[in-house]
Amino acid sequence: MEESMAAVGTLNWAMVRAILAILQWWGFNVTVIIMNKWIFQKLDFKFPLTVSCVHFICSSIGAYIVIKVLKMKPLIEVEQEDRWRRIFPMSFVFCINIVLGNVSLRYIPVSFMQTIKSFTPATTVILQWLVWRKYFEWRIWASLVPIVGGILLTSITELSFNMFGFCAALFGCLATSTKTILAESLLHGYKFDSINTVYYMAPFATMILAIPALLLEGGGVINWFYTHEDISSSMMIIFGSGVTAFCLNFSIFYVIHSTTAVTFNVAGNLKGLVLPNFE
């Protein structure tokens, strides 16, 4: 009897922890999206690669401080081979996901981007079926039909429709699904925690983005520094979004660790329903 009570208590706590993790992820996610939209529109800093690079630099520094300086979490040692074989691919896909999200924000409203992101559970199920050979019940496949149909209907009737922004958001769904599946495998298979995942992933992501950002946007960023009026406050906002992005990256892996890849993406859809839309 005592064992069954303990099991119920453990199950309830796991559920509460998962709900709290999802709520904090929602909060950080919406905050980063709004700040990025503000940076692109109000600050006229139209450099998604550079913004993404700043986010990963802040995530690298934040994870280092938590593990090495404050020693709030012990460092999980990872073999060099595993870093390149398991963490680097996830970092690469994570970069693509973040960049495509920021690119789409330049061309379409936040509300429309969030609608397109609702396609992510479908891409997650399809990827797990095609690549990882995971099989799902027919009810799950049937539930995807109204999701896909609703996104197509919304896209056709969207007044602010932009093909480039739409494609960026759509491919972002594919990248999100791949990232989530890889992260789930890493977190549950390697016994990683969320902060150690950010610790190893963020430097890789910074390295991947730094050269493209420098080559493609370096000149524009330098010109922005010379022509923009209020540099100091603008830089505070940009780096503030980086700090928030560190919290978001931590919360993403915490949610995946507390749930599953499909649950994570379904929770992302639910976020679009319960939270207000921002243009």
Side-chain angles (χ1 to χ4, degrees):
M1 184 68 178
E2 291 182 359
E3 290 181 359
S4 62
M5 290 289 290
V8 170
T10 303
L11 181 62
N12 288 339
W13 168 242
M15 185 178 298
V16 170
R17 187 179 68 175
I19 293 172
L20 291 176
I22 289 171
L23 290 175
Q24 74 169 359
W25 166 52
W26 283 355
F28 289 131
N29 184 263
V30 172
T31 303
V32 168
I33 288 175
I34 295 171
M35 292 184 76
N36 285 356
K37 193 68 176 178
W38 181 276
I39 289 168
F40 294 141
Q41 289 189 341
K42 304 297 182 181
L43 302 185
D44 200 34
F45 192 83
K46 302 183 184 298
F47 310 106
L49 289 176
T50 304
V51 170
S52 301
C53 199
V54 170
H55 287 182
F56 285 121
I57 290 172
C58 291
S59 294
S60 300
I61 296 172
Y64 181 86
I65 291 173
V66 170
I67 292 177
K68 291 289 192 177
V69 179
L70 301 178
K71 300 187 183 300
M72 295 174 66
K73 278 283 186 178
L75 177 65
I76 298 174
E77 297 293 341
V78 180
E79 297 290 337
Q80 194 69 28
E81 181 183 350
D82 266 355
R83 295 187 190 187
W84 288 99
R85 185 171 60 90
R86 304 188 69 174
I87 299 176
F88 180 80
M90 185 189 68
S91 303
F92 184 78
V93 176
F94 203 104
C95 285
I96 295 174
N97 174 46
I98 297 296
V99 170
L100 287 174
N102 287 338
V103 168
S104 65
L105 281 174
R106 279 194 58 185
Y107 297 97
I108 57 178
V110 173
S111 56
F112 186 36
M113 187 197 77
Q114 292 292 87
T115 301
I116 299 171
K117 293 285 283 185
S118 301
F119 192 66
T120 307
T123 55
T124 303
V125 170
I126 293 170
L127 272 176
Q128 287 187 316
W129 175 63
L130 284 176
V131 181
W132 282 270
R133 300 300 179 185
K134 185 174 181 179
Y135 293 94
F136 299 90
E137 293 183 0
W138 67 269
R139 295 179 184 86
I140 294 179
W141 290 104
S143 68
L144 300 180
V145 176
I147 295 175
V148 175
I151 293 170
L152 292 175
L153 182 62
T154 303
S155 302
I156 292 172
T157 57
E158 173 61 43
L159 297 176
S160 304
F161 182 84
N162 177 281
M163 179 57 74
F164 188 75
F166 173 79
C167 290
L170 200 60
F171 281 106
C173 291
L174 188 62
T176 299
S177 299
T178 307
K179 170 209 71 180
T180 309
I181 294 168
L182 292 175
E184 182 186 20
S185 172
L186 185 68
L187 286 164
H188 292 288
Y190 213 96
K191 305 302 181 184
F192 255 33
D193 56 48
S194 49
I195 195 65
N196 270 276
T197 307
V198 176
Y199 178 86
Y200 283 107
M201 180 274 301
F204 271 133
T206 304
M207 178 183 69
I208 292 167
L209 280 178
I211 294 177
L214 185 64
L215 292 177
L216 298 175
E217 299 177 348
V221 172
I222 293 173
N223 184 61
W224 179 86
F225 269 101
Y226 281 108
T227 58
H228 195 69
E229 295 180 358
D230 195 355
I231 293 294
S232 56
S233 62
S234 297
M235 291 303 297
M236 287 181 62
I237 295 173
I238 292 172
F239 278 99
S241 74
V243 174
T244 312
F246 160 65
C247 298
L248 172 61
N249 290 336
F250 167 78
S251 66
I252 285 172
F253 293 117
Y254 188 66
V255 172
I256 297 171
H257 182 262
S258 303
T259 58
T260 64
V262 175
T263 303
F264 172 80
N265 289 310
V266 171
N269 282 2
L270 185 60
K271 173 198 65 183
L273 294 176
V274 300
L275 295 176
N277 287 324
F278 297 91
E279 297 300 324

